[in-house]
Amino acid sequence: MSDALEKFQMRLHSEWLPAFCFAPRNNYSVEGFRTSSLRALDAFDAEWFLQAIDRRLVTHEDGTFRAPLSSAVESIFWQLEKSIVPRPVTLWREPVITIGAVARLHVQFGWPIAFLGMQSKRKWAFDLVGYGVDTSRELLLCEVKKSDREIEKLKALMLRYCAEEPLEVEPPKGELQNAYRKVQDIRISWPLRVWLLGPGGRGELYGIERESSTCRFKMIPEPIENLAYRNFVDSGR
């Protein structure tokens, strides 16, 4: 086991899990935690999550975490069946990756932490947002998925919907609706870039290129280095 994974597990059991389980709104037993849910966590994501905590880029309270401009708190735990005693609790990987991405944007790509928030403001369509100096301006939208397969599915659907005009009725619940709502969110905020992020730092960055004054747009692949904050400040948009 890597040092990052070992440190993550130790602190999960000593700090974050007890805080979550003993929070007044929860009152769960720590004995219900399923350690098997830790096996899929990537050391890369554990390391960046720890950096977010240790650099105090996010605040922690009762097992939940918040970045400066977050629209909601993030929990790294998921509860299962109420009928089982003690109630099963598992690690929720997507928020771990999201919180680690906050640290990456600040440390690796130079974003001021004051301009970062988790969960976008409209229906929480995206997991992480990078704002401009005017904090109502969304420059970067990031969606996190727990597997490469989920990233590929989301990408394919978003590429399909962004090339079309908005639908009269959005798709029913599920992957189609999820992808369509993200495309619609882009059409409202018109960010400069969208980051689809999976485990282990894998993912894809896209520049958003609107087709004149229509609602159609292109997602242009860009190198990950374009996440640097200076590329958003100097864009002129």
Side-chain angles (χ1 to χ4, degrees):
M1 181 185 299
S2 74
D3 287 345
L5 287 173
E6 187 173 358
K7 289 177 183 176
F8 181 94
Q9 293 193 27
M10 179 183 68
R11 293 184 64 179
L12 178 143
H13 287 290
S14 64
E15 300 175 37
W16 312 316
L17 179 63
F20 175 77
C21 288
F22 300 150
R25 70 182 184 281
N26 294 335
N27 194 27
Y28 305 138
S29 169
V30 295
E31 299 302 319
F33 182 71
R34 294 188 172 176
T35 56
S36 59
S37 63
L38 290 165
R39 294 173 187 162
L41 181 63
D42 194 289
F44 180 94
D45 300 319
E47 171 62 33
W48 279 108
F49 179 91
L50 289 167
Q51 288 209 40
I53 303 300
D54 293 341
R55 293 172 181 264
R56 298 184 178 180
L57 304 178
V58 295
T59 57
H60 171 233
E61 182 178 2
D62 292 343
T64 62
F65 302 86
R66 180 186 290 273
L69 290 181
S70 292
S71 297
V73 296
E74 288 277 12
S75 172
I76 62 171
F77 299 104
W78 188 261
Q79 312 95 281
L80 302 180
E81 299 86 352
K82 290 183 180 180
S83 60
I84 300 176
V85 179
R87 187 172 183 180
V89 174
T90 64
L91 180 71
W92 192 4
R93 278 184 290 152
E94 285 94 332
V96 174
I97 298 170
T98 301
I99 292 166
V102 171
R104 285 187 69 192
L105 286 175
H106 177 67
V107 176
Q108 184 178 355
F109 297 108
W111 281 76
I113 187 59
F115 296 164
L116 298 176
M118 294 183 287
Q119 297 297 337
S120 54
K121 296 175 181 177
R122 294 169 300 278
K123 297 184 179 180
W124 298 347
F126 285 89
D127 295 304
L128 176 60
V129 182
Y131 295 89
V133 175
D134 173 2
T135 54
S136 66
R137 175 75 170 100
E138 297 167 335
L139 302 178
L140 172 68
L141 296 177
C142 174
E143 175 65 10
V144 172
K145 295 296 184 186
K146 68 179 182 296
S147 70
D148 299 333
R149 181 181 62 83
E150 289 183 2
I151 288 289
E152 287 300 313
K153 279 190 173 182
L154 176 61
K155 176 182 73 173
L157 289 171
M158 289 182 68
L159 287 170
R160 166 185 159 188
Y161 287 130
C162 77
E164 304 171 351
E165 289 293 328
L167 304 174
E168 292 187 6
V169 179
E170 73 173 20
K173 64 181 180 179
E175 294 175 342
L176 296 178
Q177 183 187 76
N178 180 267
Y180 182 74
R181 285 184 173 179
K182 293 185 194 320
V183 168
Q184 289 296 88
D185 205 55
I186 292 170
R187 287 170 171 154
I188 293 171
S189 59
W190 293 116
L192 299 180
R193 293 176 178 87
V194 169
W195 187 18
L196 304 183
L197 177 62
R202 298 183 297 277
E204 298 184 32
L205 180 65
Y206 295 94
I208 301 301
E209 184 178 294
R210 188 174 181 177
E211 189 176 304
S212 65
S213 59
T214 72
C215 288
R216 297 187 297 272
F217 62 90
K218 296 178 181 178
M219 294 170 55
I220 310 299
E222 295 189 4
I224 199 68
E225 291 77 16
N226 283 8
L227 277 173
Y229 179 65
R230 64 178 180 275
N231 293 322
F232 293 80
V233 176
D234 297 338
S235 67
R237 286 172 55 187

